[in-house]
Amino acid sequence: MFLLSIKDSRTKFSPMSEGERQASLSIFGLGYVGCVSAACLASRGHPVVGVDSNPLKTECLRRGNAPVVEERIGELIAEGVASGRLTVSEDPARAVLDTDVTIVCVGTPSAPGGGLSTQYLERATEQIGAALAHKDGRHTVVYRSTMVPGTCEDLLIPLLERTSGKRVGLDFGVCVNPEFLREGTSVRDFFEPPKIVVGESDEASGGLVMDLYAGLDGPRFRVPIAVAEMTKYVDNCFHALKVTFGNEIGAFCTSFGLDSHVVMDVFLADTKLNISPAYLYPGFAFGGSCLPKDLRALVHAARQNDLDLPVLANVLVSNETQLRRAVDLVTSLGRRRVGIFGLSFKSGTDDLRESPIVELAERLIGKGYDVKIYDANVALSRLMGANRSYLDERLPHIGGVLTDDVEDVLEHGEVLIAGSRDPTAVAALHRAGEHQTVIDLVRLPWAAQRRGQASYIGIGW
């Protein structure tokens, strides 16, 4: 299944028309996510039944009171209970039997070793599956709990099938619908979502879940289940990285007598490179004349001032790991002739300084591989200055491996490495034979179609 992105229509929600039936919902887990989801969906006209193993929560909700502290949640729950749209049940099976959709919002705390504890997910799934065994109509199970990729398809769906005796996609549907709610502003975030993501077992179930958010702003994505599971982790890890990055910059600025907020005002003003999609798509290691040396200089200055910056200090360590991944991919194939397309540190330039492709070529040659290289922007006859000095130092025998004949490199390589998106290189790699393996470091235009094929390996996809 390929990712499908659906842009929203930027229309606001309008109440259901007279006689229109909204899907009825049962929500398992009435913590922050479940309580907010229940209250907000009930306010949109859905009949909602809340289920929780904690009687204090269900009794609180039954009386029209909020079991959590959140802006606007009290009034939404009171309105939902008063209207009869929001109710609670101590009978999980009855809640499933009486509704069209079950939304699972139970906790997934850390296990002692740091992994994900799925005990509450499994308990809720067993209860739902047992109820589905006695249900005639089709039902959709939606997981909003945060879980690592593979949890739903490898653990929860088989558990549902085993306990219900039914088959996913035929007798019932399963979706993963991660939440992007911040505590303190979760009601506002529900009605003004940054995005809506639905991973689906089948098209009908995905459409039903997406309809729950009809009229709300925000881009919409219908994706494979594991992709939906992953999106929440990408967000949270990036948020944690941003907080840590900001704090390390703050520590450095303080050490040098600078106002970090003034510095970050300048940083945040750049929405072309800094606060943007730039540099965030996975690919090969970074290089060039700026990033490596400036990272080293900043970390060195911090150490001179007895300042520990563990994230910034390990960026180059992580970059080296990405370079090693590429070397390991080549060595794992057991073939000796390698053709490399691209040599400069990025496409569209002849700058070779600290190019990770130069480093990759050096390591492969050092291991005895027969390497040939083509780069449309790099010719020995034109190299001069720092570029020529760097290449002579890193690849002293470059004259024997660098060629301006793209066909020569294509025919030479049993393994072909895509290190450039130059049109000539892309066209040549597209003609690679079945006996050749393409290792893609730049996400070639046809990467999505080739993923999973034995003759194609993407370094990060």
Side-chain angles (χ1 to χ4, degrees):
M1 185 188 300
F2 294 104
L3 181 149
L4 172 64
S5 170
I6 308 173
K7 292 296 182 182
D8 64 283
S9 58
R10 297 287 170 183
T11 57
K12 294 297 182 181
F13 169 74
S14 56
M16 59 181 175
S17 58
E18 193 70 30
E20 182 182 354
R21 179 183 178 276
Q22 296 281 67
S24 57
L25 316 172
S26 49
I27 296 184
F28 281 49
L30 296 174
Y32 274 92
V33 174
C35 189
V36 170
S37 298
C40 293
L41 288 166
S43 76
R44 288 170 58 79
H46 294 278
V48 177
V49 180
V51 179
D52 198 286
S53 59
N54 187 339
L56 295 178
K57 290 183 181 180
T58 53
E59 185 56 32
C60 186
L61 210 62
R62 182 179 283 111
R63 295 197 305 266
N65 298 321
V68 299
V69 177
E70 280 288 322
E71 182 183 5
R72 287 192 60 200
I73 194 66
E75 63 185 80
L76 288 180
I77 287 178
E79 291 170 1
V81 171
S83 69
R85 287 193 301 271
L86 180 56
T87 60
V88 295
S89 174
E90 282 75 32
D91 186 348
R94 177 49 53 191
V96 173
L97 293 172
D98 290 344
T99 56
D100 305 310
V101 178
T102 296
I103 302 175
V104 181
C105 301
V106 299
T108 51
S110 292
L116 186 76
S117 173
T118 59
Q119 58 176 321
Y120 304 119
L121 277 173
E122 292 179 64
R123 183 186 306 164
T125 299
E126 288 174 342
Q127 292 173 333
I128 296 165
L132 290 179
H134 303 285
K135 184 163 186 174
D136 294 330
R138 199 174 191 277
H139 197 82
T140 301
V141 182
V142 183
Y143 291 96
R144 271 171 80 73
S145 303
T146 302
M147 48 190 169
V148 296
T151 303
C152 188
E153 290 174 307
D154 297 341
L155 175 65
L156 302 180
I157 288 178
L159 186 55
L160 279 173
E161 292 183 324
R162 188 165 62 251
T163 52
S164 69
K166 298 182 177 181
R167 294 182 60 190
V168 68
L170 296 176
D171 306 306
F172 65 90
V174 172
C175 291
V176 168
N177 175 218
E179 49 82 18
F180 305 102
L181 309 175
R182 297 166 294 173
E183 291 189 22
T185 61
S186 56
V187 172
R188 188 190 323 154
D189 291 340
F190 184 96
F191 290 115
E192 300 174 9
K195 56 183 173 286
I196 300 167
V197 179
V198 176
E200 56 193 35
S201 64
D202 58 275
E203 188 174 348
S205 297
L208 176 61
V209 175
M210 193 62 82
D211 285 345
L212 299 179
Y213 304 98
L216 296 183
D217 285 350
R220 297 162 180 250
F221 298 91
R222 293 175 65 174
V223 297
I225 283 176
V227 171
E229 290 170 312
M230 185 62 189
T231 56
K232 179 68 173 180
Y233 284 95
V234 176
D235 282 23
N236 282 351
C237 289
F238 188 51
H239 296 161
L241 180 62
K242 286 194 291 184
V243 170
T244 305
F245 175 78
N247 288 341
E248 290 198 358
I249 293 298
F252 186 92
C253 288
T254 300
S255 180
F256 281 78
L258 307 175
D259 186 336
S260 63
H261 281 237
V262 174
V263 170
M264 293 308 284
D265 282 341
V266 178
F267 172 81
L268 293 169
D270 183 351
T271 57
K272 181 178 182 180
L273 299 178
N274 293 345
I275 310 303
S276 74
Y279 309 126
L280 282 173
Y281 283 97
F284 195 35
F286 63 78
S289 60
C290 297
L291 271 58
K293 80 174 181 65
D294 290 348
L295 263 169
R296 291 191 200 99
L298 187 75
V299 172
H300 178 71
R303 286 174 180 156
Q304 285 184 318
N305 283 267
D306 296 323
L307 187 61
D308 187 19
L309 303 178
V311 168
L312 290 172
N314 281 283
V315 172
L316 285 171
V317 176
S318 179
N319 200 52
E320 161 65 22
T321 301
Q322 189 72 342
L323 175 58
R324 244 186 359 257
R325 286 192 183 102
V327 175
D328 292 344
L329 285 175
V330 176
T331 58
S332 70
L333 296 174
R335 301 176 184 178
R336 307 305 298 178
R337 296 199 312 276
V338 178
I340 299 177
F341 295 83
L343 190 62
S344 60
F345 86 96
K346 68 177 181 178
S347 299
T349 177
D350 66 348
D351 195 345
L352 302 175
R353 289 171 292 176
E354 299 213 42
S355 167
I357 302 289
V358 172
E359 181 68 22
L360 174 62
E362 179 187 19
R363 295 189 189 188
L364 293 176
I365 292 170
K367 290 177 178 290
Y369 285 85
D370 183 2
V371 175
K372 284 196 175 183
I373 305 170
Y374 169 83
D375 190 314
N377 295 308
V378 177
L380 284 178
S381 59
R382 296 199 306 267
L383 288 179
M384 60 187 68
N387 257 346
R388 185 59 188 249
S389 297
Y390 183 79
L391 198 58
D392 287 341
E393 177 186 342
R394 307 301 296 195
L395 292 175
H397 306 295
I398 187 63
V401 297
L402 182 63
T403 175
D404 59 2
D405 186 347
V406 68
E407 296 300 325
D408 186 24
V409 176
L410 178 63
E411 293 173 7
H412 171 80
E414 298 170 297
V415 178
L416 303 174
I417 298 176
S420 169
R421 287 174 64 95
D422 172 77
T424 306
V426 171
L429 287 160
H430 193 61
R431 300 198 308 276
E434 293 183 2
H435 65 287
Q436 296 171 302
T437 299
V438 174
I439 295 179
D440 187 357
L441 309 181
V442 295
R443 185 79 174 187
L444 293 165
W446 32 265
Q449 288 72 44
R450 294 285 299 275
R451 283 182 69 245
Q453 296 181 10
S455 60
Y456 173 86
I457 303 173
I459 192 170
W461 46 86

